[in-house]
Amino acid sequence: MISRKTILFGFIVLSLTGLIIYSQTVPEKKTVYQENFENCNFEGELLECKDGALYLDTTNSAQTGEGIWSKNVSVSPGKISWNWNGQDLDKFSLWLKVTFSDHKSIYYVAAGSMNPQSEGEYYRDQENRRRFSPSVVISGIPMNTVERDLVEDYEKYCGPAENIKIEKMSAGFGDNSTQHQNILRISDLKIYGQ
C-alpha cells in the first residue's frame, strides 16, 4: 500500500516537472521596439527626458504648460506596455497615441485625465482626394504599468488588422491647474512581437 506521503511527494515532483517543461516551451516576449527617452524630440518647454523617462514637471503651482513627444517608427503591431504615473493631479492631460500606416490612430488616456483635443487627421489618399480618419480614444487607463494588445484594440475599434504597421508613437502631457504642481511621467515604453 502506498502511503499518503509518497503520493504527495510524487504529485509535487510531477507538478515541478510540468512547470519546468512549460517555462521552456512558452516563448518569451520578443521586444521589437523600446523607447529609452534619451534623445527626445518634443514640443513644449516643460517636457524633459531624464533617466529613461519622459516627464512634465511644473516646478511651482502657478506654472502651467503642456507638451507633446513624438517619434516616427516602423514596426508591426503586437502587445504594447508602458509605465505612467503622476503626482498632485488636477486638471491634467496624459495620453499615449499610436498611429498606424492606414492613418488610423488610438489614444490611450490616463484615468482622471482630460481627453486629447484631436478628433482625427486629414490626409490625401492615392488619388489625391482629401480624407478624414477619426481617432479612437480609450479613456480611464490606470496610472501604473499598462499592457495592451494593439491588434486586439485595433480590430475592436478600427476593423481588420491586415497589413498595417505602427508609423508613429506620441505622448501628450498637460497641466492646467494653478493650484497643484503636476508631475506626469511615462517610461518603459515597449512593443512586443506576435
Side-chain angles (χ1 to χ4, degrees):
M1 182 163 193
I2 301 174
S3 71
R4 284 186 171 177
K5 287 182 182 180
T6 305
I7 292 172
L8 183 60
F9 178 75
F11 179 74
I12 291 171
V13 169
L14 283 173
S15 297
L16 289 174
T17 304
L19 282 174
I20 292 169
I21 291 171
Y22 176 77
S23 67
Q24 292 177 348
T25 58
V26 172
E28 280 187 44
K29 291 182 191 175
K30 180 183 174 191
T31 304
V32 295
Y33 175 82
Q34 180 171 351
E35 182 58 51
N36 296 321
F37 298 110
E38 291 174 354
N39 298 317
C40 286
N41 178 23
F42 51 77
E43 304 166 14
E45 296 175 7
L46 300 175
L47 283 186
E48 292 187 44
C49 294
K50 186 177 177 183
D51 299 327
L54 174 66
Y55 65 94
L56 173 90
D57 183 353
T58 52
T59 54
N60 63 60
S61 61
Q63 185 177 31
T64 62
E66 57 186 30
I68 296 176
W69 165 86
S70 63
K71 187 168 186 180
N72 293 330
V73 297
S74 181
V75 292
S76 295
K79 292 198 184 236
I80 186 171
S81 68
W82 68 92
N83 189 323
W84 57 11
N85 54 49
Q87 297 174 16
D88 293 337
L89 302 174
D90 183 49
K91 298 182 183 173
F92 75 99
S93 176
L94 179 59
W95 49 261
L96 180 71
K97 178 183 177 186
V98 180
T99 305
F100 298 92
S101 54
D102 61 356
H103 304 282
K104 294 180 181 177
S105 57
I106 298 176
Y107 281 93
Y108 296 99
V109 181
S113 167
M114 294 180 280
N115 282 341
Q117 297 300 310
S118 173
E119 296 176 358
E121 79 174 75
Y122 287 95
Y123 66 96
R124 296 278 177 187
D125 68 10
Q126 293 174 337
E127 297 170 5
N128 205 26
R129 291 180 294 202
R130 191 170 184 204
R131 300 284 187 188
F132 178 74
S133 181
S135 294
V136 171
V137 177
I138 302 173
S139 299
I141 306 293
M143 288 272 240
N144 53 29
T145 300
V146 178
E147 183 172 295
R148 302 288 298 205
D149 187 326
L150 287 170
V151 174
E152 185 178 296
D153 286 345
Y154 186 96
E155 289 177 342
K156 183 175 182 180
Y157 299 106
C158 304
E162 297 171 6
N163 302 320
I164 59 165
K165 286 212 175 271
I166 299 168
E167 284 197 340
K168 189 175 185 181
M169 305 286 293
S170 308
F173 301 77
D175 175 6
N176 296 319
S177 172
T178 56
Q179 298 179 3
H180 290 80
Q181 174 187 354
N182 285 348
I183 301 171
L184 307 170
R185 174 185 164 129
I186 291 180
S187 62
D188 304 315
L189 176 58
K190 295 178 186 175
I191 298 174
Y192 304 98
Q194 293 284 48

